Amino acid sequence: MSTKPIGIFDSGAGGLSVWKEIKAQLPEESTIYISDSKYAPYGTKGKDAILKRSIINTETLLNKGAKIVVVACNTATTNAISILRENYDVPFIGIEPAIKPAALNTKTNCIGILATRGTLSSALFHETSQRYTKNLNVIEQEGNGIVELIEDGALFSTEMEKLLENYLSPMLDANMDCLVLGCTHYHFLTPILKKILPKNVTIIESGPAVARQTKAVLHEQNLLNKSGFRSQHSFYTNGSKEIISSLINCDKSAINKLK
Ligand code: DGL
């Protein structure tokens, strides 16, 4: 058993959607979250730049004592997780667009995938997509600009609504009934998406499955915290503390500057 924290990182505040699931499913566990906002978005950067940031974030988490690293970013997972796994001696949990559940659930045989360019262009995404969507109409859309608006505090803005309407309209014209949110930031769009999407469209995301997988791996490796001590949550950001506290309503004293 281990009282050490679960380390979690993302290019910004999006991974907090995964953090929320981990906290709900693993209430005894402490966490350390890194929001690498100064370098967001990752989605428009090349593979090498994404890998470099992923290594820096991993090393920061390991220096702070993380027993496991959750890559709470689809872009970093699809571009860097295999190299992280080869180079560090802790378990890594990644997140990828939930294509399989969408493919199994669609009745119209049309699914939409909203993700970053970095994710949609990755080999790992292509492999998964080809495996599960052979006879389906799959409409992929880069969510350009969404992460920037969220990081700038403009989540609930007219600009965001317009952007989403544009991105979703070809999917709706094609009669999509499952929308895959392939970026952890997009979870926070759910209230806006529910206004835009017809009732028959199911929004599918991977956060709950990532938390289940984190729990399973900690259990398998005998790393769960069974000490009975109260869990602690700390956040590190090289961007705005306000975004973090506004998205998860946490105590500002728990948010630290990331050097
Ligand atoms: N939350 C990251 C993801 O899941 C955002 C990507 C970005 O920074 O562009 O892909």
Side-chain angles (χ1 to χ4, degrees):
M1 88 113 208
S2 167
T3 55
K4 288 166 135 196
I6 296 173
I8 305 168
F9 79 83
D10 180 37
S11 65
L16 292 168
S17 56
V18 178
W19 173 86
K20 279 205 288 185
E21 291 294 341
I22 288 176
K23 184 169 177 270
Q25 292 190 36
L26 289 155
E28 313 78 18
E29 297 297 326
S30 295
T31 63
I32 300 181
Y33 182 91
I34 288 185
S35 170
D36 196 23
S37 302
K38 189 172 165 191
Y39 296 90
Y42 285 1
T44 50
K45 295 185 168 57
K47 199 176 163 71
D48 288 351
I50 297 167
L51 178 61
K52 186 174 168 203
R53 294 311 307 164
S54 300
I55 288 173
I56 291 171
N57 296 331
T58 297
E59 293 196 347
T60 307
L61 288 171
L62 296 180
N63 287 336
K64 294 185 186 302
K67 60 183 170 187
I68 186 168
V69 174
V70 178
V71 183
C73 174
N74 293 261
T75 314
T77 299
T78 51
N79 284 278
I81 200 163
S82 54
I83 297 172
L84 296 177
R85 284 189 172 127
E86 276 165 24
N87 284 281
Y88 299 95
D89 218 13
V90 289
F92 283 87
I93 308 291
I95 187 163
E96 287 179 66
I99 301 176
K100 186 180 173 187
L104 293 174
N105 276 300
T106 178
K107 295 191 174 60
T108 60
N109 286 340
C110 177
I111 69 174
I113 303 175
L114 192 58
T116 69
R117 186 185 312 155
T119 295
L120 294 174
S121 63
S122 68
L124 195 57
F125 174 82
H126 279 285
E127 244 171 65
T128 315
S129 184
Q130 272 172 5
R131 190 171 329 138
Y132 296 112
T133 63
K134 282 212 175 71
N135 301 312
L136 300 179
N137 181 13
V138 179
I139 303 183
E140 297 174 10
Q141 173 65 54
E142 288 180 12
N144 296 324
I146 299 176
V147 168
E148 290 90 325
L149 284 175
I150 295 176
E151 293 291 324
D152 285 348
L155 170 57
F156 297 108
S157 59
T158 321
E159 211 180 333
M160 182 71 90
E161 278 189 32
K162 286 217 175 95
L163 208 56
L164 290 176
E165 276 163 6
N166 274 340
Y167 290 161
L168 297 173
S169 107
M171 300 179 183
L172 293 173
D173 289 347
N175 202 19
M176 148 196 82
D177 65 351
C178 288
L179 174 65
V180 177
L181 300 186
C183 167
T184 51
H185 280 77
Y186 302 170
H187 161 84
F188 296 104
L189 302 172
T190 307
I192 314 173
L193 292 171
K194 284 195 170 149
K195 278 205 287 177
I196 300 174
L197 295 171
K199 291 247 168 336
N200 73 316
V201 177
T202 307
I203 298 171
I204 302 185
E205 48 185 323
S206 323
V210 168
R212 282 196 296 278
Q213 179 66 5
T214 306
K215 190 174 181 174
V217 171
L218 289 177
H219 173 72
E220 260 165 44
Q221 306 212 5
N222 203 18
L223 288 172
L224 284 165
N225 176 21
K226 296 187 177 140
S227 69
F229 290 132
R230 229 176 125 233
S231 57
Q232 288 183 333
H233 303 285
S234 47
F235 303 88
Y236 289 83
T237 181
N238 46 21
S240 143
K241 291 186 182 181
E242 277 66 37
I243 301 299
I244 295 181
S245 64
S246 72
L247 291 178
I248 56 165
N249 208 6
C250 71
D251 191 332
K252 275 215 186 107
S253 65
I255 309 174
N256 308 281
K257 267 273 159 236
L258 179 67
K259 280 166 213 130

